[in-house]
Amino acid sequence: MTSRIDQVTMDAHDVDLMSKFWSSALGYRIDRGDDGCAKLVSENDAAAAPNIWLQKVDEPKLGKNRCHLDLVAADPAAEVLRLLDLGATRADVGQTGDEGFQVMADPEGNEFCVLQRADTSAAASTTPADPDAPGLSALGLQPDDPVEPNEPA
């Protein structure tokens, strides 16, 4: 038996700010809790789409993430601009500029990457109806094979 990712939990100092950013970035709906936390749920309710739980914390983020999200886009340059408009910033974690991905940070400084989606004929038959919809490719929602930044080519 194997496990699957059902939910990703992120600490958030400002849950309202973070839920607005990530729900817009990913196309998720927001389910607010009575405890000051928020659950972000995929609008397409895809079984492979893990929820994101934004857990209220008092302290701001410090240091580099030990784990981060990879977002995959058909047009990464356009996606980066869209995310910048939503409140993301470009982040420098020591990349050279030749990696084939963009490192970004959400409004609280959590790093994430925007990758180029690799087009494959096998994946084309399983790709959702709107492959450029926001967030559809985050967290394994896109069956295409992205260019993974930390693995050798």
Side-chain angles (χ1 to χ4, degrees), residues 21 61 75-95 97 100-114:
F21 172 80
K61 180 212 180 253
D75 184 350
E79 184 65 0
V80 165
L81 292 176
R82 187 181 76 83
L83 293 165
L84 289 168
D85 285 344
L86 292 174
T89 57
R90 295 179 190 273
D92 182 356
V93 295
Q95 65 271 31
F101 59 90
Q102 295 288 318
V103 180
M104 310 284 296
D106 69 18
E108 288 195 356
N110 298 296
E111 298 88 6
F112 64 95
C113 293
V114 178

